[in-house]
Amino acid sequence: MLKWIYDLSYEELEKDIAHLYLPRFVADQVCRWLYEKNINDIACWSNISKKNRETLSQTYDIRLNKVLEVQADREGNRKYLIELKDKYKIEAVLIKEKKHFTMCISTQVGCALKCKFCATGRMGFKRNLSSGEILSQALLLKKDAAENSAPGQKEKINIVFMGMGEPLLNYENLSRALQLITSEKGIGISPRNITVSTAGILDGIKRLEKDFPRLKLSFSLNAPAAALREELMPISKKEKLDDILAYFRHTPRKHRVTFEYVLIKGVNDSLQDAEKTAALLRGIPCKINLIPYNPGGSGVNLESKVLLAAKRLNAPPREWGFETPAEPEVEAFCEYLHSRGYTVIIRWSKGREIKSACGQLATEI
Ligand code: SAH
């Protein structure tokens, strides 16, 4: 069986190349074709001899995962439905910003955390993505971004790990993928242009900050009171908010932590919630992103799928009653935090039209 090349770290590839009795520099050449030029047809690798190319094609499968469907909206955001080898499907999103692209990448098929407001949570957890499956999303989207940019123009790329899944519950594969995404031998995206978003897995946060100190971290706060947070995000019964905040407060870091806050009408969007949030985050160098709730679900045949999923999970009715707050409420929440000295950005999510905004990623599995 051929080895899927994207699952190999640079060091593993180097070792393989030595075992195949190929010159050492071939590892660099292969990486350049795969990650810098993003050309995955061995026949085109012109600086590698025909004989060596033959050896490579007898050893490696270099096909990226298959894109089943691309949905684009009028603003130039694109959502990709990607099929994995075992036929599971994941989604990734390319967001068009003014001067750059942001890739939103998945780390798991489904998610185990069951946050009440999130469509991925309703799918349940299927499996972790391999490092190659994470990396492969970045390569697919990079290729597509290049094809959709003006000729000769090199678009800057940011990555956010805010797709399906909890990145820090797949730490090994996330960090292997990050090595190749950030390294000069790989895609070469600077860690300061990469954000990992977590619902709050404290051990994972500590490891990530130790292994990748220049990376940016987002923490999904979503409620300032522990009881409400535990209801919305069951993981926080185990991973205590106080412990996480104490860690943020006492550990120096390169970038400010971003606190994500999904605003849900009548649930966590009152001025008292804003006051509590302001008090809670006092003393932590941070930014706050307010994300007005995006109605859940995604993909084809949304209604029936959500209902089926609901039955499967025996979901309490409250899950389905969430609504997006009106603009003045969102503004007032923002204004209050602002008045307390916080940097706050409202993220009226991009990609709602194609159901690719935060919390809307879910696939038929
Ligand atoms: N598991 C990780 C990453 C995936 S979720 C995490 O929890 O951070 C990415 C972001 O989308 C999180 O900040 C989450 O709170 C937010 N989100 C989830 N569902 C949402 C929804 N329905 N509307 C708006 N934002 C949502």
Side-chain angles (χ1 to χ4, degrees):
M1 242 232 325
L2 299 182
K3 260 192 203 174
W4 200 44
I5 202 160
Y6 304 101
D7 272 334
L8 298 180
S9 67
Y10 178 77
E11 293 71 26
E12 287 164 348
L13 179 69
E14 241 186 349
K15 238 189 230 160
D16 263 20
I17 296 277
H19 285 149
L20 293 168
Y21 298 107
L22 298 178
R24 260 190 95 166
F25 59 78
V26 172
D28 272 15
Q29 290 177 319
V30 168
C31 285
R32 194 148 294 168
W33 285 110
L34 288 178
Y35 303 127
E36 193 187 311
K37 299 195 205 290
N38 212 347
I39 293 180
N40 53 336
D41 176 0
I42 295 188
C44 298
W45 295 0
S46 51
N47 60 352
I48 303 180
S49 74
K50 190 144 183 262
K51 189 163 155 283
N52 290 348
R53 274 187 268 156
E54 235 156 61
T55 310
L56 291 171
S57 54
Q58 282 156 11
T59 313
Y60 298 115
D61 174 3
I62 63 160
R63 285 168 306 170
L64 292 168
N65 287 126
K66 196 162 144 198
V67 175
L68 292 181
E69 200 186 315
V70 183
Q71 280 176 277
D73 70 7
R74 279 166 290 186
E75 294 156 20
N77 304 307
R78 296 162 75 79
K79 180 168 86 164
Y80 305 77
L81 181 65
I82 297 168
E83 185 178 70
L84 308 175
K85 289 217 179 98
D86 56 8
K87 303 290 176 204
Y88 275 132
K89 297 179 191 72
I90 52 165
E91 292 183 321
V93 186
L94 185 68
I95 301 156
K96 179 127 182 63
E97 316 268 10
K98 270 206 193 89
K99 289 204 173 129
H100 67 274
F101 285 106
T102 300
M103 296 175 180
C104 178
I105 285 185
S106 296
T107 51
Q108 298 181 317
V109 184
C111 184
L113 299 189
K114 295 192 167 45
C115 297
K116 295 267 188 333
F117 43 80
C118 178
T120 313
R122 284 175 214 148
M123 289 172 60
F125 174 70
K126 296 303 161 191
R127 68 168 174 84
N128 280 331
L129 295 184
S130 73
S131 60
E133 287 167 335
I134 298 172
L135 183 66
S136 169
Q137 295 171 64
L139 291 169
L140 284 168
L141 271 57
K142 188 183 158 201
K143 204 185 273 266
D144 201 63
E147 283 164 13
N148 285 288
S149 308
Q153 191 179 342
K154 246 192 151 188
E155 296 276 4
K156 199 173 127 281
I157 287 172
N158 288 355
I159 295 187
V160 294
F161 286 90
M162 294 188 185
M164 295 162 69
E166 169 50 49
L168 299 184
L169 289 180
N170 184 13
Y171 189 81
E172 294 305 329
N173 296 336
L174 171 74
S175 68
R176 279 171 69 91
L178 278 172
Q179 296 288 357
L180 272 171
I181 288 171
T182 55
S183 124
E184 281 310 316
K185 306 263 187 222
I187 306 181
I189 297 178
S190 163
R192 70 190 146 83
N193 296 327
I194 301 177
T195 302
V196 172
S197 180
T198 179
I201 311 296
L202 189 50
D203 278 347
I205 295 175
K206 290 178 181 168
R207 274 179 89 181
L208 185 76
E209 293 206 310
K210 192 164 151 280
D211 295 346
F212 300 93
R214 294 193 306 132
L215 212 89
K216 287 186 181 155
L217 188 71
S218 270
F219 169 66
S220 300
L221 175 66
N222 298 332
L228 177 59
R229 192 164 187 271
E230 284 172 20
E231 198 191 328
L232 292 174
M233 304 176 72
I235 182 67
S236 59
K237 289 183 194 133
K238 204 167 123 222
E239 301 274 352
K240 294 287 179 193
L241 183 58
D242 284 352
D243 297 341
I244 294 170
L245 294 180
Y247 169 76
F248 285 147
R249 190 164 275 123
H250 300 301
T251 326
R253 61 182 47 74
K254 267 224 139 38
H255 307 287
R256 287 185 279 175
V257 179
T258 299
F259 287 92
E260 311 279 346
Y261 196 113
V262 182
L263 280 169
I264 309 170
K265 186 175 170 178
V267 174
N268 64 355
D269 65 339
S270 69
L271 278 182
Q272 287 91 302
D273 291 310
E275 277 167 29
K276 277 191 205 148
T277 303
L280 192 72
L281 304 186
R282 188 62 54 225
I284 304 176
C286 67
K287 291 186 256 186
I288 302 172
N289 275 351
L290 298 176
I291 320 170
Y293 170 74
N294 291 309
S298 143
V300 267
N301 207 0
L302 172 67
E303 257 64 51
S304 64
K305 194 177 67 186
V306 168
L307 287 175
L308 271 175
K311 265 190 208 144
R312 217 165 38 221
L313 295 177
N314 206 7
R318 170 163 188 181
E319 277 189 48
W320 312 108
F322 288 159
E323 283 174 53
T324 314
E327 213 166 322
E329 274 74 57
V330 176
E331 294 286 345
F333 199 97
C334 175
E335 219 13 78
Y336 180 82
L337 290 171
H338 208 94
S339 73
R340 313 307 290 178
Y342 289 96
T343 309
V344 195
I345 297 175
I346 303 175
R347 301 260 177 217
W348 289 103
S349 289
K350 304 201 170 192
R352 281 175 73 153
E353 202 184 301
I354 51 170
K355 292 243 184 322
S356 58
C358 298
Q360 291 187 308
L361 300 185
T363 55
E364 203 96 51
I365 41 178

